[in-house]
Amino acid sequence: MGGAEYSLSEGNSNGFIEYMDHGNLTEAWGYTSPKSLTTGLSKVSISPIAAQNSKALFLTMAHETGHAYASFLGLGRSLIDLKANNIGWEELADTEHFAIYKLENFTALKNNIPIIGKLSTVRLDSFFRRLSTTERSSISSIYEKLLPIFDRVMK
């Protein structure tokens, strides 16, 4: 499930993957390429920093597999107007990312993994309530379709 090929990336001097996101150089724990038109697969790259810790690796692989599976299913993503909704986190700029961050928090809580960083469940729920009915519906639909990827227990 997910339609992806996985690899460990070399990473930068900090151990993260670097890629261009809307013209900005970005560091990340993992990266998923768009689905290939010839193979139908996405390529998932995992950073060395994520691979050094089993919990970080578990969450990163779930997050990136979520992107690959969304691409495989042909789920669309809509941009979210962060400024109009008073949401200061660029990570939530589209409905797919918003759903995946909610699912990542679900998986972390299910596996007793501390939520480190700015996108806690409480903050995500607060942001979610600010969105339009259409945006919330889209995020909820993506969430439900990707839930099997995230509804797992780490062994």
Side-chain angles (χ1 to χ4, degrees), residues 41-95:
L41 299 176
S42 295
K43 292 189 182 212
V44 174
S45 299
I46 304 296
S47 71
I49 197 83
Q52 291 177 15
N53 177 291
S54 62
K55 292 176 182 177
L57 179 60
F58 179 72
L59 290 177
T60 301
M61 289 192 71
H63 181 109
E64 298 307 328
T65 301
H67 285 304
Y69 194 47
S71 180
F72 178 76
L73 293 175
L75 302 180
R77 65 170 79 174
S78 302
L79 293 178
I80 294 172
D81 188 341
L82 299 176
K83 190 175 265 188
N85 289 298
N86 195 25
I87 297 172
W89 307 116
E90 291 296 319
E91 295 91 334
L92 303 176
D94 63 68
T95 52

XYZ file of all heavy atoms in Angstrom, residues 41-95:
413
model
N 4.911 5.273 -9.120
C 5.420 5.274 -7.754
C 5.967 6.645 -7.367
O 6.465 7.391 -8.201
C 6.552 4.252 -7.608
C 6.211 2.790 -7.880
C 7.466 1.935 -7.795
C 5.167 2.298 -6.894
N 5.898 6.947 -6.096
C 6.586 8.096 -5.519
C 7.901 7.602 -4.943
O 8.021 6.431 -4.572
C 5.762 8.712 -4.386
O 4.566 9.257 -4.874
N 8.890 8.479 -4.863
C 10.158 8.136 -4.217
C 10.194 8.838 -2.872
O 10.038 10.060 -2.807
C 11.335 8.547 -5.084
C 11.415 7.716 -6.344
C 12.678 7.961 -7.111
C 12.597 7.104 -8.366
N 13.836 6.637 -8.831
N 10.387 8.048 -1.820
C 10.453 8.577 -0.470
C 11.902 8.549 -0.016
O 12.535 7.493 -0.027
C 9.578 7.761 0.505
C 9.761 8.227 1.935
C 8.109 7.825 0.090
N 12.400 9.703 0.367
C 13.759 9.819 0.900
C 13.667 10.120 2.387
O 12.912 11.004 2.804
C 14.520 10.947 0.199
O 14.622 10.700 -1.180
N 14.434 9.387 3.171
C 14.478 9.565 4.619
C 15.831 10.173 4.973
O 16.871 9.720 4.487
C 14.282 8.220 5.355
C 12.959 7.552 4.924
C 14.356 8.399 6.860
C 11.711 8.308 5.275
N 15.829 11.177 5.836
C 17.071 11.843 6.221
C 17.866 11.007 7.226
O 17.286 10.214 7.976
C 16.771 13.209 6.836
O 16.177 13.045 8.114
N 19.173 11.191 7.258
C 19.987 10.491 8.262
C 19.563 10.830 9.689
O 19.577 9.964 10.562
C 21.409 10.983 7.978
C 21.396 11.385 6.551
C 20.009 11.928 6.303
N 19.150 12.070 9.937
C 18.757 12.462 11.296
C 17.503 11.698 11.738
O 17.395 11.285 12.891
C 18.570 13.998 11.409
C 18.574 14.456 12.849
C 17.341 14.494 10.719
C 19.931 14.653 13.426
N 16.572 11.451 10.827
C 15.370 10.684 11.164
C 15.711 9.222 11.400
O 15.132 8.562 12.263
C 14.324 10.806 10.062
N 16.682 8.710 10.638
C 17.040 7.292 10.735
C 17.820 6.958 12.008
O 17.967 5.788 12.352
C 17.862 6.886 9.510
N 18.279 7.955 12.731
C 19.077 7.717 13.942
C 18.229 7.419 15.171
O 18.762 7.031 16.205
C 19.965 8.931 14.236
C 21.055 9.123 13.229
C 21.866 10.373 13.512
O 21.801 10.955 14.580
N 22.639 10.791 12.522
N 16.912 7.595 15.069
C 16.045 7.417 16.225
C 14.811 6.641 15.773
O 14.127 7.065 14.836
C 15.653 8.799 16.779
C 14.695 8.719 17.935
O 13.533 8.338 17.762
N 15.161 9.076 19.110
N 14.511 5.532 16.426
C 13.418 4.670 15.964
C 12.068 5.379 15.966
O 11.253 5.175 15.065
C 13.358 3.392 16.800
O 13.090 3.696 18.160
N 11.811 6.233 16.949
C 10.522 6.933 17.001
C 10.431 7.995 15.907
O 9.389 8.138 15.262
C 10.308 7.549 18.378
C 10.126 6.490 19.456
C 10.003 7.082 20.824
C 9.875 5.966 21.851
N 9.829 6.473 23.216
N 11.515 8.718 15.684
C 11.527 9.717 14.611
C 11.393 9.026 13.259
O 10.665 9.500 12.378
C 12.810 10.549 14.664
N 12.063 7.903 13.095
C 11.974 7.149 11.843
C 10.547 6.640 11.620
O 10.003 6.752 10.523
C 12.959 5.980 11.847
C 12.965 5.093 10.604
C 13.325 5.904 9.363
C 13.952 3.942 10.798
N 9.935 6.109 12.661
C 8.556 5.608 12.576
C 7.595 6.713 12.124
O 6.817 6.533 11.187
C 8.151 5.059 13.951
C 6.742 4.536 14.028
C 6.394 3.351 13.400
C 5.777 5.207 14.753
C 5.095 2.856 13.484
C 4.480 4.728 14.844
C 4.140 3.548 14.210
N 7.665 7.881 12.771
C 6.764 8.973 12.421
C 7.076 9.556 11.044
O 6.164 9.891 10.285
C 6.824 10.077 13.489
C 6.214 9.713 14.839
C 6.400 10.862 15.822
C 4.736 9.360 14.706
N 8.358 9.659 10.709
C 8.747 10.195 9.400
C 8.271 9.265 8.289
O 7.734 9.719 7.271
C 10.270 10.406 9.315
O 10.668 11.307 10.351
C 10.698 10.956 7.970
N 8.446 7.967 8.482
C 8.008 7.019 7.451
C 6.487 7.029 7.314
O 5.967 6.964 6.193
C 8.544 5.624 7.738
C 10.039 5.554 7.505
S 10.708 3.899 7.495
C 10.066 3.280 5.958
N 5.764 7.150 8.420
C 4.304 7.234 8.337
C 3.904 8.511 7.591
O 3.054 8.474 6.691
C 3.688 7.213 9.730
N 4.528 9.630 7.942
C 4.224 10.914 7.310
C 4.464 10.855 5.799
O 3.588 11.204 5.005
C 5.101 12.002 7.957
C 4.886 13.370 7.417
N 4.263 14.354 8.153
C 5.213 13.941 6.237
C 4.213 15.462 7.426
N 4.791 15.240 6.258
N 5.639 10.379 5.406
C 5.981 10.342 3.977
C 5.165 9.289 3.225
O 4.787 9.499 2.074
C 7.484 10.121 3.792
C 8.357 11.223 4.372
C 8.009 12.628 3.902
O 7.555 12.788 2.752
O 8.197 13.572 4.687
N 4.864 8.167 3.874
C 4.003 7.157 3.246
C 2.608 7.735 3.036
O 1.947 7.441 2.032
C 3.955 5.869 4.084
O 5.282 5.352 4.208
C 3.063 4.820 3.450
N 2.168 8.578 3.962
C 0.887 9.260 3.792
C 0.865 10.084 2.507
O -0.100 10.038 1.743
N 1.951 10.826 2.253
C 2.030 11.604 1.008
C 2.016 10.681 -0.215
O 1.324 10.947 -1.198
C 3.307 12.453 0.978
C 3.258 13.651 1.860
N 2.281 14.617 1.780
C 4.100 14.056 2.853
C 2.515 15.555 2.685
N 3.609 15.241 3.344
N 2.797 9.598 -0.156
C 2.864 8.673 -1.291
C 1.507 8.022 -1.547
O 1.074 7.888 -2.696
C 3.934 7.612 -1.039
N 0.822 7.625 -0.484
C -0.473 6.975 -0.634
C -1.521 7.969 -1.163
O -2.348 7.620 -2.004
C -0.913 6.351 0.686
C -2.056 5.381 0.561
C -2.058 4.394 -0.419
C -3.138 5.445 1.421
C -3.121 3.491 -0.540
C -4.199 4.550 1.311
C -4.183 3.588 0.328
O -5.232 2.711 0.218
N -1.471 9.208 -0.686
C -2.381 10.237 -1.194
C -2.171 10.433 -2.693
O -3.140 10.547 -3.456
C -2.175 11.555 -0.450
N -0.914 10.422 -3.124
C -0.598 10.555 -4.547
C -1.094 9.335 -5.312
O -1.692 9.451 -6.375
C 0.913 10.728 -4.720
O 1.252 10.856 -6.066
N -0.860 8.154 -4.755
C -1.289 6.896 -5.363
C -2.813 6.872 -5.558
O -3.310 6.442 -6.594
C -0.834 5.733 -4.480
C -1.257 4.375 -4.953
C -0.621 3.760 -6.012
C -2.288 3.700 -4.317
C -1.004 2.490 -6.440
C -2.682 2.433 -4.735
C -2.031 1.840 -5.807
N -3.548 7.370 -4.549
C -5.012 7.400 -4.619
C -5.538 8.533 -5.493
O -6.721 8.566 -5.809
C -5.601 7.546 -3.214
C -5.412 6.371 -2.256
C -5.954 6.722 -0.877
C -6.078 5.112 -2.800
N -4.651 9.460 -5.848
C -5.072 10.601 -6.649
C -5.868 11.621 -5.859
O -6.699 12.338 -6.421
N -5.616 11.688 -4.552
C -6.321 12.668 -3.728
C -5.825 14.070 -4.085
O -4.632 14.297 -4.216
C -6.068 12.413 -2.240
C -6.461 11.044 -1.701
C -6.146 10.957 -0.216
C -7.932 10.760 -1.960
N -6.712 14.956 -4.239
C -6.334 16.344 -4.515
C -6.000 17.053 -3.220
O -6.381 16.626 -2.134
N -5.281 18.130 -3.360
C -4.998 18.974 -2.207
C -5.327 20.405 -2.578
O -5.060 20.838 -3.678
C -3.566 18.832 -1.723
C -2.516 19.297 -2.697
C -1.137 19.362 -2.097
N -0.502 18.073 -1.999
C 0.742 17.903 -1.621
N 1.495 18.923 -1.307
N 1.253 16.705 -1.538
N -5.938 21.096 -1.646
C -6.299 22.496 -1.857
C -5.438 23.360 -0.957
O -5.157 22.988 0.186
C -7.765 22.731 -1.490
O -8.592 21.900 -2.258
N -5.052 24.512 -1.472
C -4.278 25.451 -0.663
C -5.162 26.042 0.419
O -6.368 26.238 0.223
C -3.701 26.559 -1.531
C -2.634 26.132 -2.530
C -2.183 27.330 -3.373
C -1.438 25.510 -1.823
N -4.558 26.313 1.563
C -5.245 26.954 2.681
C -4.673 28.358 2.814
O -3.446 28.524 2.821
C -5.037 26.153 3.988
C -5.715 24.789 3.881
C -5.552 26.931 5.195
C -5.409 23.851 5.035
N -5.529 29.344 2.922
C -5.076 30.721 3.110
C -4.699 30.892 4.579
O -5.553 31.164 5.425
C -6.173 31.703 2.693
C -5.692 33.138 2.696
O -4.669 33.454 3.343
O -6.353 33.959 2.035
N -3.420 30.684 4.866
C -2.947 30.723 6.249
C -3.146 32.100 6.877
O -3.529 32.203 8.045
C -1.478 30.312 6.310
C -1.162 28.897 5.810
C 0.336 28.654 5.831
C -1.891 27.851 6.629
N -2.892 33.139 6.107
C -3.005 34.498 6.645
C -4.457 34.810 7.006
O -4.734 35.306 8.089
C -2.474 35.507 5.633
C -2.337 36.907 6.190
C -1.707 37.839 5.186
C -0.221 37.879 5.468
N 0.497 38.883 4.680
N -5.387 34.504 6.114
C -6.804 34.789 6.366
C -7.337 33.991 7.558
O -8.236 34.457 8.261
C -7.631 34.476 5.125
N -6.774 32.796 7.772
C -7.219 31.939 8.880
C -6.368 32.122 10.137
O -6.536 31.387 11.107
C -7.197 30.470 8.450
C -8.300 30.161 7.460
O -9.471 30.285 7.774
N -7.913 29.787 6.251
N -5.436 33.092 10.093
C -4.566 33.386 11.230
C -3.820 32.139 11.714
O -3.794 31.815 12.899
C -5.371 34.019 12.376
C -4.466 34.667 13.412
O -3.340 35.068 13.108
N -4.954 34.740 14.638
N -3.227 31.431 10.740
C -2.439 30.234 11.034
C -1.002 30.544 10.640
O -0.706 30.790 9.478
C -2.968 29.011 10.261
C -4.398 28.691 10.700
C -2.046 27.805 10.460
C -5.077 27.627 9.869
N -0.110 30.537 11.609
C 1.267 30.952 11.371
C 2.242 29.842 11.045
O 3.445 30.044 11.170
N 1.763 28.676 10.652
C 2.676 27.562 10.382
C 2.571 27.170 8.915
O 1.568 26.635 8.467
C 2.351 26.357 11.277
C 2.296 26.730 12.722
C 1.208 26.677 13.531
C 3.364 27.230 13.526
N 1.532 27.118 14.782
C 2.848 27.459 14.811
C 4.703 27.526 13.280
C 3.627 27.953 15.852
C 5.475 28.024 14.322
C 4.942 28.222 15.579
N 3.641 27.425 8.180
C 3.683 27.142 6.744
C 3.458 25.660 6.436
O 3.045 25.321 5.336
C 5.021 27.588 6.148
C 5.195 29.089 6.119
C 4.194 29.786 5.217
O 3.904 29.280 4.123
O 3.696 30.854 5.623
N 3.743 24.788 7.383
C 3.576 23.349 7.177
C 2.125 22.983 6.874
O 1.839 21.915 6.354
C 4.040 22.557 8.411
C 5.512 22.654 8.703
C 5.862 23.798 9.650
O 5.103 24.803 9.723
O 6.906 23.717 10.291
N 1.191 23.864 7.209
C -0.240 23.581 7.049
C -0.828 24.292 5.832
O -2.019 24.591 5.793
C -0.993 24.004 8.314
C -0.508 23.346 9.605
C -1.259 23.908 10.801
C -0.651 21.840 9.542
N -0.017 24.525 4.818
C -0.428 25.346 3.679
C -1.416 24.669 2.733
O -1.965 25.309 1.863
C 0.801 25.800 2.894
N -1.649 23.367 2.897
C -2.641 22.704 2.047
C -3.350 21.615 2.837
O -2.907 21.208 3.910
C -2.006 22.150 0.763
C -0.975 21.075 1.020
O -1.360 19.976 1.463
O 0.216 21.328 0.770
N -4.475 21.171 2.299
C -5.331 20.224 3.023
C -4.653 18.875 3.257
O -4.874 18.240 4.296
C -6.661 20.030 2.283
O -6.399 19.700 0.913
C -7.505 21.292 2.340
